[in-house]
């Protein structure tokens, strides 16, 4: 197997592959627009129950009526996995994937950044960040809330 030499005119092969795009539906369009606007919007049923990922119907009361709530972005690690293999571009490895329990009471899957995977623990407090991982496109990520960091 041959590899391109550094500096070789490899053109497009050196360009970073873009992250997969979400499948936009009538139900989740608000969520993805929120991410681009730097807001974490969670679907809220007319009965008050929050749900994520967004869907057409409340699993509890079966209502089709909903609006959205802007979440604080604060939460804690409910569960996590550190993916090492197989490496799938453009994701960075080890890929730290977390299930975050939001302060508002629903859960969301995302990436956790700015932390050594060995330091991650269930219950770790985290905060949503909107990171421009690609030019002109923001992605929802989480970072640990470190005590003292907000007191600068
Ligand atoms: Zn409901």
């Amino acid at each position: 197997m041959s590899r391109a030499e550094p500096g070789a005119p490899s053109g497009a092969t050196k360009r970073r592959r873009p992250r997969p795009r979400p499948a936009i539906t009538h139900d989740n369009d608000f969520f993805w627009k929120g991410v681009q606007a730097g807001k974490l919007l969670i679907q809220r049923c007319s009965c008050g129950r929050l749900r994520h990922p967004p869907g057409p119907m409340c699993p509890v009361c079966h209502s089709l009526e909903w609006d959205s709530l802007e979440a604080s972005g604060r939460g804690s690690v409910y569960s996590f996995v550190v993916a090492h293999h197989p490496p799938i571009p453009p994701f960075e490895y080890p890929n730290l994937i977390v299930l975050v329990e939001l302060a508002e009471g629903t859960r969301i899957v995302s990436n956790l950044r700015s932390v050594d995977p060995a330091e991650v623990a269930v219950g770790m407090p985290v905060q949503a960040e909107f990171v421009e991982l690609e030019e002109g496109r923001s992605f929802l990520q989480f970072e640990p809330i470190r005590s003292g960091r907000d007191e600068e």
Side-chain angles (χ1 to χ4, degrees):
M1 189 174 126
S2 65
R3 282 189 191 166
E5 292 293 319
S10 51
T13 60
K14 294 190 82 172
R15 210 172 295 141
R16 206 179 169 84
R17 194 180 296 181
R19 289 197 164 209
R21 297 294 185 254
I24 303 293
T25 68
H26 174 74
D27 298 309
N28 69 20
D29 185 52
F30 78 96
F31 174 81
W32 295 108
K33 283 182 173 153
V35 169
Q36 291 312 306
K39 295 176 180 178
L40 177 51
L41 301 178
I42 300 295
Q43 195 179 34
R44 176 174 54 191
C45 176
S46 56
C47 75
R49 188 181 178 90
L50 302 179
R51 62 179 188 264
H52 189 86
M57 181 185 285
C58 177
V60 176
C61 77
H62 301 163
S63 172
L64 298 173
E65 291 177 30
W66 56 269
D67 65 358
S68 65
L69 165 94
E70 184 176 349
S72 65
R74 287 183 178 259
S76 61
V77 174
Y78 184 84
S79 183
F80 68 98
V81 64
V82 183
H84 294 272
H85 194 80
I88 301 167
F91 298 104
E92 289 172 14
Y93 288 80
N95 187 1
L96 184 45
I97 301 159
V98 286
L99 178 61
V100 173
E101 184 154 74
L102 296 174
E104 288 78 9
T106 191
R107 295 175 193 148
I108 188 167
V109 173
S110 187
N111 281 128
L112 186 63
R113 50 192 276 131
S114 306
V115 63
D116 184 327
E119 293 176 14
V120 180
V122 169
M124 174 183 259
V126 293
Q127 171 72 49
E129 303 284 343
F130 297 90
V131 185
E132 194 176 316
L133 296 176
E134 293 171 16
E135 191 176 342
R137 181 167 283 269
S138 293
F139 292 79
L140 172 65
Q141 308 270 278
F142 281 82
E143 292 186 3
I145 299 173
R146 294 194 167 89
S147 55
R149 200 176 72 167
D150 296 335
E151 293 161 21
E152 289 173 32

